[in-house]
Structure formats: C-alpha cells, structure tokens
Amino acid sequence: MEQEKLISKRDLLERYGMSYGALYRWKRKGLIPEEWFIKKATVTGQETFFPEQLICPRIELILSGKNELELDALAEKLRGEADAEMWLTISTVYGDRRFKLSDVKKITVSRDAETVNVTEAVTGCIKEGKKWR
Amino acid sequence: MEVKISGSGRIGGGVYESVGISGSGKISGDVQCENFHCSGSARCDGALQCSDTLHISGSLHAEKDVSATELHISGSLKGQNLFIKDSGSISGACELRQDLKCETISVSGSLRTGGGIEATDFRLSGALRCDGLLNAENVDIRLGALHNEIGAVGGSRIRVTTAESHGLFRRMLSPNIGPLKVREAIEGDEIHLENTVCPLVSGRSVKIGKGCDVGTVRYSEELETAENAAIGSIEKIGL
C-alpha cells in the first residue's frame, strides 16, 4: 500500500502556530474528522499523525475565517459534504475498515502472481445520476 | 399529549408532550417528548429524546440513546449515548456504553463511558472511567474515588486535583482516593495536575503537582513541578 505523507501533531501545531486548545476545539466542531487522527507507535510512545495533504489545507481554510459564526458555517458545510459522500466498507474477521469512495484509487484481487483489477466492477454500479437499489 | 404513570405502568413508544412517571414505568419503543420527568424508576427499551428537559429522581435505564436540551439526574442513568444540547447535572451515577456529548456538564458521583466525552465545560467530582478521549475546552476533575481511568485528555484548560486538596476531607477521614490513570496523553494549553499517572503531558503552561507520575512532560512556556512528582523526562517545545 502506498504510504501517504504524514505530519505529526506537534509539527502541525508548530507550523501554524496553533494551540492544543484550538485543535481540540476544531475537532469538537467537526472541522477535523476523526479518521484523520492516525496513531502510530514511535520511540517516545504513541504519537498522533495526520495526512499532510488533507490536514494542511483544512487548517489553512479554518485559519482564513476565524470568527465563531464562520467556523460553525464551515462545519455545517463539511458535514453536508460528508453526508453526501459514498463509503466503501470492507468487513473482515478483524473488524471493519471504511474508506471514502473518492479516496479509493484502485481495488484488486490477487492470487499468486495473478492480479485482477476490480475497481470498475465494484464502483461501476454507482454511476452519476443512477439511484441506489 | 401528556402521559402520567402513578404507581406502576407501561407506555408505548411515540411522540408525547410530556411524560411523567411517579413510581415505576416501562417504556417499550422510542419516545420523543418535550419534557420527561421520573420520580422512581424508568426502563426504556428504545431511545429517549427530549426537546426540553429530562429530570430523573431515581433511575433511568435506556437501551438506546438518551438526548435532552437540559438534564438533571439525581440517582442513576444508564444508556447507549447521551447527548445534552445545553447543560446537564448528575448527582449519582451515570453509565454509558458509548459517548457523552454536551455543552456543559457537572457530575458529582461517578461517570463511566465506553466511548469518549465531548464538552465545552466538564466538571466532575468523584469517580471517572472513560475508555476514550475526553475532549473539552475546560476540564475540572476532583478525584474522589479509588479507581479512575481515562483514555486521553485534550482541551484548553485542564485541571485534575483530589478532593483532599479542596479541604473537603481531613486526611484521616478521607476515603481512599486513587490516581487518575491516563492511557495515552494529556494535551492542553494550561494544565494543572495532581495525583495523575500519564505517559505524556504536553502544554503551554504546565504544573505537575503532588502525587503525579508522568513519563514525559513537554511544555512551551511555563513548567512548575512539585517535589514529590515523578517525571521521566522534560522537553521544552516551540509551540
């Protein structure tokens, strides 16, 4: 699996001159989705990272409109977008993993050296304008 | 429609203006109402949604989510998720299988959640067990029980003290008060801790008080440490 570029929470706060209070406040408001908080084990213990290409534009967007009303309006808009989003969920014996359909680049099934690209087969049933069954 | 149970009775799920139980009531199904008042015990096998006030003097046991604009519990509340639009006060015990989301909450007694807690103002005096993240602007925890555990704490002003520090109990008469054990980290702007065990504390202005056992402290502006606080390492960071 391709490794997306991650930025640590600490580096993020330093880069934008943000406080922990602000980060947690924005999380409560729904401006930063739970899925973006990625926990990894490091030498210092558990640290939190974010997908850099997602979090940085979001922080810049939040900082560009700093008053309360604007942030609430932004949260409402993002909620609306999230609700309209389609999700691919894979249920396994180890639990469920959920992905935004718009984030899915390729889906393949393989055995030994043989790989079949099933992306179109899985996502093709969902076409623009076609209703859910 | 107003529904009242006096003694013992059953209500079906539905939409009501107000529901009043004086005695013992069983509710089958989901209930939506403006006000819910129970003096005694109520069991609901569905969800309970109050557009205004939920008032319990006794016990409420709900199988699904409980939500209200304002909530007052004197006794016990059990449910799946608890959503409070404005303010809540709990004097007694609250046990949730999942999350607590509210604006302001004040707990005197014990709070247990299987999930996380989100609030603007979170105040608790007693016992706290939260499996997830306590995310609140202002956190004020006064420990008053033996077992207190939490996944992580994040917010702006975070304060953990013991009931003893507030002069509420004299040392000899005080009940056994255990530390607050934090599994992951405490992150905030102004942090003041006593009797807290935590692998990582990060903040702008940090005070590690008596009885603390912290793995790593990261601070950007101020750090104050008590003599008997155990601290593994200290890092000054540039936030």
Side-chain angles (χ1 to χ4, degrees), chain A residues 5-94:
Chain A
K5 194 153 182 245
L6 300 175
I7 180 172
S8 74
K9 186 193 282 178
R10 220 173 109 176
D11 288 342
L12 184 74
L13 298 189
E14 261 182 76
R15 184 186 289 190
Y16 290 100
M18 286 162 55
S19 64
Y20 280 111
L23 181 72
Y24 281 101
R25 199 175 308 128
W26 298 338
K27 186 183 188 200
R28 283 199 305 279
K29 279 193 187 289
L31 294 167
I32 304 172
E34 178 70 49
E35 304 91 74
W36 292 3
F37 288 73
I38 299 164
K39 290 195 186 134
K40 279 181 179 274
T42 63
V43 267
T44 44
Q46 279 257 331
E47 298 264 7
T48 303
F49 294 82
F50 299 92
E52 190 165 10
Q53 295 187 321
L54 294 175
I55 193 75
C56 292
R58 181 59 55 89
I59 300 290
E60 283 158 25
L61 181 60
I62 294 168
L63 292 174
S64 70
K66 236 192 154 168
N67 78 63
E68 202 68 39
L69 244 57
E70 279 191 59
L71 292 185
D72 286 340
L74 177 60
E76 196 63 50
K77 176 170 174 275
L78 294 171
R79 233 190 320 273
E81 284 171 11
D83 286 343
E85 186 68 69
M86 285 189 284
W87 297 83
L88 173 69
T89 304
I90 301 175
S91 300
T92 73
V93 292
Y94 308 107

Side-chain angles (χ1 to χ4, degrees), chain B:
Chain B
M1 185 170 98
E2 273 192 32
V3 176
K4 275 202 168 106
I5 294 179
S6 209
S8 120
R10 287 175 177 267
I11 312 173
V15 182
Y16 304 99
E17 245 178 75
S18 73
V19 177
I21 298 174
S22 181
S24 139
K26 268 204 169 136
I27 305 162
S28 52
D30 297 341
V31 164
Q32 267 182 60
C33 59
E34 279 174 35
N35 297 290
F36 187 99
H37 195 121
C38 171
S39 184
S41 94
R43 267 195 98 94
C44 179
D45 69 10
L48 176 52
Q49 220 177 350
C50 304
S51 60
D52 200 349
T53 316
L54 175 65
H55 202 124
I56 309 282
S57 180
S59 81
L60 168 62
H61 192 144
E63 282 306 312
K64 295 191 190 162
D65 295 349
V66 177
S67 63
T69 296
E70 237 186 81
L71 173 124
H72 299 285
I73 311 273
S74 178
S76 94
L77 168 62
K78 276 191 184 178
Q80 176 83 357
N81 290 294
L82 176 59
F83 303 112
I84 307 169
K85 194 153 174 259
D86 283 350
S87 70
S89 75
I90 298 175
S91 179
C94 179
E95 201 178 307
L96 303 170
R97 289 195 296 284
Q98 265 180 261
D99 305 331
L100 164 60
K101 286 193 183 164
C102 54
E103 200 38 52
T104 306
I105 187 147
S106 173
V107 179
S108 174
S110 104
L111 174 62
R112 255 182 119 127
T113 65
I117 301 168
E118 273 184 21
T120 301
D121 293 302
F122 179 85
R123 194 167 297 169
L124 178 137
S125 176
L128 174 62
R129 284 167 102 148
C130 165
D131 219 17
L133 165 70
L134 164 56
N135 177 348
E137 189 72 15
N138 303 301
V139 174
D140 185 352
I141 296 170
R142 298 181 192 196
L143 302 171
L146 192 55
H147 297 292
N148 305 285
E149 286 157 10
I150 194 161
V153 184
S156 187
R157 279 165 291 280
I158 300 167
R159 204 179 147 87
V160 180
T161 51
T162 56
E164 289 171 351
S165 315
H166 297 270
L168 295 174
F169 296 101
R170 294 182 56 191
R171 243 212 127 71
M172 301 228 278
L173 302 172
S174 71
N176 253 344
I177 299 178
L180 174 65
K181 292 184 190 166
V182 182
R183 203 171 56 233
E184 291 171 20
I186 297 177
E187 296 175 329
D189 301 332
E190 286 151 47
I191 303 175
H192 174 161
L193 306 175
E194 281 176 17
N195 211 14
T196 303
V197 177
C198 181
L200 172 64
V201 174
S202 300
R204 195 172 53 219
S205 165
V206 179
K207 181 172 171 180
I208 308 289
K210 60 185 178 183
C212 283
D213 185 347
V214 177
T216 303
V217 176
R218 291 183 187 152
Y219 73 102
S220 63
E221 280 173 26
E222 265 180 86
L223 175 64
E224 208 182 301
T225 60
E227 258 181 48
N228 74 350
I231 299 174
S233 65
I234 297 174
E235 278 175 54
K236 188 162 197 299
I237 53 177
L239 283 189

Side-chain angles (χ1 to χ4, degrees), chain A residues 106-110 115-119:
Chain A
K106 191 160 74 171
I107 308 170
T108 60
V109 177
S110 57
T115 304
V116 176
N117 188 331
V118 295
T119 318

